[in-house]
Amino acid sequence: MLIPHDTRKALDVVVDLVNTAPESEPHDRLADVEALSAFARIHDVSDVGTLGEADLRAVRAVRARFADVFAAPDAQAAAELINRLVAAAGTTPRLTNHDGFDWHVHYFAPGASMADHLAADCGMALAFIVTSGEQERLRRCEAPDCRHAFVDLSRNRSRRYCDSRTCGNRLHVAAYRARRKEASG
């Protein structure tokens, strides 16, 4: 599956955003405006200006709607959620070539809030996945103690664990140890 650079970057941002929620972590990683500002810096979210409490509340609401997309049972449900997100953001597609990146499309209007920026750009990246017939690639880690979201970009759609932790390795080692213990019995 060939994914343009800007779409891939937006997918990385939406995954990281969803994974800041308390459902994925022991605590909310967007606990305050400072954490939101750090998130914007880390992900090079451009044109967001000075962030405040209203931005934090709005981004948390967008984060919850993105989490719903990852939990959608099928493409139809995902599409409806994405359509609402993108429409509410008031998308304004425009070509840009900033910060050393080649030409790409931004979907947020100039001066948009951070929440609208994320809803538009990340929503369109998720729309790319759904329109490609690949909605099942939007997943949650299958490790029992992990709920991280991820986009399975493996060739055969076989990834089961997130890569932000060593979930797969931990489970394989635990299964190996259990088999050895049972065999030595």
Side-chain angles (χ1 to χ4, degrees), residues 8-21:
R8 177 59 196 259
K9 184 175 178 190
L11 289 171
D12 291 343
V13 171
V14 72
V15 164
D16 286 350
L17 179 63
V18 169
N19 290 338
T20 65

Side-chain angles (χ1 to χ4, degrees), residues 11-55:
L11 289 171
D12 291 343
V13 171
V14 72
V15 164
D16 286 350
L17 179 63
V18 169
N19 290 338
T20 65
E23 299 82 46
S24 299
E25 291 290 324
H27 63 282
D28 190 338
R29 288 190 5 237
L30 288 183
D32 53 31
V33 175
E34 185 177 317
L36 180 62
S37 296
F39 183 89
R41 270 191 316 280
I42 289 166
H43 292 288
D44 295 321
V45 180
S46 59
D47 299 329
V48 294
T50 304
L51 299 170
E53 289 295 328
D55 295 298

Side-chain angles (χ1 to χ4, degrees), residues 168-182:
N169 189 44
R170 270 186 308 109
L171 290 175
H172 290 119
V173 168
Y176 171 77
R177 287 180 179 157
R179 285 191 306 272
R180 286 197 60 195
K181 184 177 181 180
E182 186 177 306

Side-chain angles (χ1 to χ4, degrees), residues 154-171:
S154 66
R155 207 174 273 217
N156 63 356
R157 299 176 192 89
S158 62
R159 192 166 147 204
R160 298 172 45 208
Y161 306 108
C162 70
D163 64 359
S164 63
R165 299 180 182 176
T166 56
C167 292
N169 189 44
R170 270 186 308 109
L171 290 175

